[in-house]
Amino acid sequence: PRQLTNALIATFKKDLPILAENQFYFHQLIGCQVENCKGIPLGEVTHLVEIANQDVLCIEGKKQYMVPFRLD
């Protein structure tokens, strides 16, 4: 409906459906520690952004990183 155009829509976390094993909501990634494939810590996930068709993790540490989000 037009009434919802540009409106902020929210729900309570307690009202979100329970996910299957190995599934998660993006908000659950905020605060997670990230390391590279060699085990070197990069920092903490501060937020996620959607760029085109790609979700990107924004990581704050000694540097700032924007890393494409992939499940593999």
Side-chain angles (χ1 to χ4, degrees), residues 34 41-46 58-67:
V34 179
L42 298 179
E44 180 179 303
V45 177
T46 57
C58 297
I59 301 165
E60 297 277 339
K62 291 181 181 177
K63 296 182 180 180
Q64 294 179 338
Y65 301 91
M66 293 183 76
V67 180

Side-chain angles (χ1 to χ4, degrees), residues 5-16:
T5 301
N6 296 318
L8 178 62
I9 300 172
T11 187
F12 294 104
K13 289 180 186 177
K14 67 178 182 64
D15 294 330
L16 293 171

Side-chain angles (χ1 to χ4, degrees), residues 11-30:
T11 187
F12 294 104
K13 289 180 186 177
K14 67 178 182 64
D15 294 330
L16 293 171
I18 295 173
L19 299 175
E21 188 175 335
N22 296 323
Q23 291 184 328
F24 53 88
Y25 290 105
F26 278 169
H27 74 268
Q28 295 172 312
L29 296 174
I30 306 301

